[in-house]
Amino acid sequence: MQNIKGKVVVITGASSGMGKATAIELAKNGAKVVLGARRIEQLQQIVDGIISKGGEASFAQIDVKDKDDLIRLVNTAVEQYGKLDVIINNAGVSQLSRIDELDIDGWEEMIDINLKGVLYGMAAAIPVFKQQQSGHIVNIISTSGIKIVPMQGIYAGTKNAVRTIAEAFRQESDGTIRITGISPGVVKTDFAENIKNQEMKTIITKNMENLAISPDAIANAVVYAISQPKDVEVGDIVIRPSKQN
Ligand SMILES: NC(=O)c1ccc[n+]([C@@H]2O[C@H](COP(=O)([O-])OP(=O)(O)OC[C@H]3O[C@@H](n4cnc5c(N)ncnc54)[C@H](OP(=O)(O)O)[C@@H]3O)[C@@H](O)[C@H]2O)c1
């Protein structure tokens, strides 16, 4: 992938699942990756694995709830590699439940991480992109929000907010900063592990066992989106198991 080699890519939520798979795939294609998440042992392991295969990678411990952490992550990339080509806003959680269960803590967690975390990532990267006169924002969204179903209302709401904001950003941009949304369906990751609602945890875990595709499918979609020439912007990619209804 000619257009990937040498690119500096920041990835949030890179300690597991799609973020991890994307970091590994991009590094394999010659990108310099900077990983962010809260669990540093996992980040260290992934970075060591990439470096042992001849790739370039580093990490910073971040919580996307804190806007200064996103600035620090972006600064790590710029200080270490001299520029930032891509930010992948991937960190996300799902606290799925009926709206009338009023899991307000769960709502706030999703709003803080899935929506505000993405905005903080964009806010940290945009000044660098403006100064460079180039950059690419990739947001990992979800098929939740495209097909809206019970129990996923607030989660889908956070994801659709990102979709809406990205479309406005696309129109505002003169093309020097590109934006891509990737909406996965069911993907085999640790995603269900943090769900507090036991009924939903069981359903999502079963879905994962029966239906889920590999996170590599999403990593490949990211590679496709960011390997395009400068005058080509990949807008939205929806990628789900072929059996998912
Ligand atoms: N799996 C699916 O079926 C599916 C489907 C559609 C969309 N998605 C989306 O895909 C994205 C990645 O999820 P995944 O499936 O790969 O699940 P995952 O394995 O649980 O990964 C989630 C990542 O987000 C990070 N994260 C969570 N809260 C964070 C915080 N406050 N600050 C920094 N990092 C945080 C986690 O790292 P730490 O815990 O180390 O911080 C982890 O690396 C999410 O946005 C999710 O909504 C998933």
Side-chain angles (χ1 to χ4, degrees), residues 31-243:
K32 300 166 186 179
V33 290
V34 181
L35 287 64
R38 293 163 303 177
R39 289 171 296 168
I40 45 173
E41 313 79 46
Q42 278 84 346
L43 292 175
Q44 182 73 66
Q45 254 182 21
I46 298 162
V47 164
D48 288 348
I50 290 171
I51 291 170
S52 73
K53 293 200 169 90
E56 286 192 72
S58 59
F59 72 88
Q61 183 175 37
I62 60 148
D63 186 332
V64 298
K65 289 180 180 173
D66 183 343
K67 56 177 176 297
D68 292 336
D69 277 13
L70 272 307
I71 292 170
R72 190 164 44 78
L73 184 66
V74 163
N75 286 345
T76 303
V78 175
E79 279 158 21
Q80 194 143 354
Y81 302 119
K83 60 172 182 164
L84 177 70
D85 294 298
V86 184
I87 184 165
I88 303 174
N89 293 305
N90 165 72
V93 291
S94 63
Q95 294 304 346
L96 309 179
S97 61
R98 287 177 58 95
I99 293 164
D100 64 7
E101 282 175 34
L102 305 183
D103 175 20
I104 294 171
D105 288 345
W107 301 352
E108 284 177 343
E109 197 187 342
M110 290 187 285
I111 291 165
D112 287 347
I113 296 172
N114 303 358
L115 173 54
K116 288 173 72 178
V118 171
L119 289 174
Y120 292 162
M122 289 174 62
I126 287 168
V128 178
F129 290 163
K130 272 192 172 165
Q131 208 215 342
Q132 295 173 166
Q133 282 295 291
S134 79
H136 193 160
I137 297 161
V138 178
N139 295 326
I140 304 301
I141 312 180
S142 177
T143 53
S144 286
I146 296 173
K147 180 180 177 185
I148 298 160
V149 296
M151 313 288 278
Q152 299 193 12
I154 312 296
Y155 176 70
T158 62
K159 294 295 186 178
N160 272 347
V162 171
R163 213 184 305 276
T164 300
I165 290 160
E167 173 57 13
F169 183 84
R170 184 191 70 76
Q171 292 181 35
E172 289 167 5
S173 174
D174 63 3
T176 50
I177 308 177
R178 291 175 285 172
I179 189 158
T180 298
I182 297 183
S183 291
V186 184
V187 179
K188 203 166 187 53
T189 67
D190 298 342
F191 200 49
E193 273 169 33
N194 297 317
I195 299 177
K196 286 181 294 187
N197 181 305
Q198 285 309 311
E199 187 194 342
M200 280 318 290
K201 188 172 182 168
T202 308
I203 293 170
I204 301 292
T205 305
K206 208 165 246 164
N207 263 349
M208 291 242 177
E209 281 160 13
N210 297 336
L211 199 63
I213 52 175
S214 162
D216 292 339
I218 310 308
N220 290 335
V222 174
V223 168
Y224 170 76
I226 71 177
S227 62
Q228 300 303 313
K230 266 188 188 297
D231 61 344
V232 176
E233 179 180 69
V234 175
D236 281 285
I237 301 178
V238 180
I239 176 161
R240 47 166 91 81
S242 26
K243 283 186 190 160

